[in-house]
Amino acid sequence: MANSENKEEVMQDEPKKTEHAAAPKKKNKQLQGLKAEFHRIIWPDKDTVVKETTAVVVTTVILGVIIALLDWVIKLGLDRIFS
């Protein structure tokens, strides 16, 4: 028993090995990869952004009106059924 207790004490005194030294290198590689990806991005021109934004807004308004009309029709139908 004395040997096992002695080993535990020795193991506790040894410094623990950590991988903190590799962490900055890994982060540096990740940042370099991120920077490279940003250089590959092809940003749309102003006209494309305006056209696509307009399409989204118009589509949203049309769908909103359709949903409001359906809601109104369903409400009228349910009011007539229950009254």
Side-chain angles (χ1 to χ4, degrees), residues 6-51:
N6 205 10
K7 285 181 183 178
E8 288 177 8
E9 289 176 8
V10 170
M11 290 179 76
Q12 288 177 355
D13 292 339
E14 292 179 12
K16 294 182 179 180
K17 296 180 182 177
T18 59
E19 297 182 13
H20 292 292
K25 290 181 183 178
K26 186 176 181 181
K27 285 184 181 180
N28 193 17
K29 279 188 172 185
Q30 288 177 341
L31 289 176
Q32 287 176 350
L34 183 64
K35 188 175 179 180
E37 285 296 321
F38 269 106
H39 286 296
R40 291 186 199 136
I41 295 174
I42 300 172
W43 297 99
D45 59 345
K46 185 177 179 180
D47 292 337
T48 304
V49 173
V50 169
K51 287 178 185 176

Side-chain angles (χ1 to χ4, degrees), residues 21 47 53 69 80:
D47 292 337
T53 303
L69 287 173
R80 287 187 183 207

Side-chain angles (χ1 to χ4, degrees), residues 52-69:
E52 290 179 1
T53 303
T54 303
V56 168
V57 171
V58 168
T59 303
T60 303
V61 169
I62 291 171
L63 287 175
V65 169
I66 291 171
I67 291 171
L69 287 173

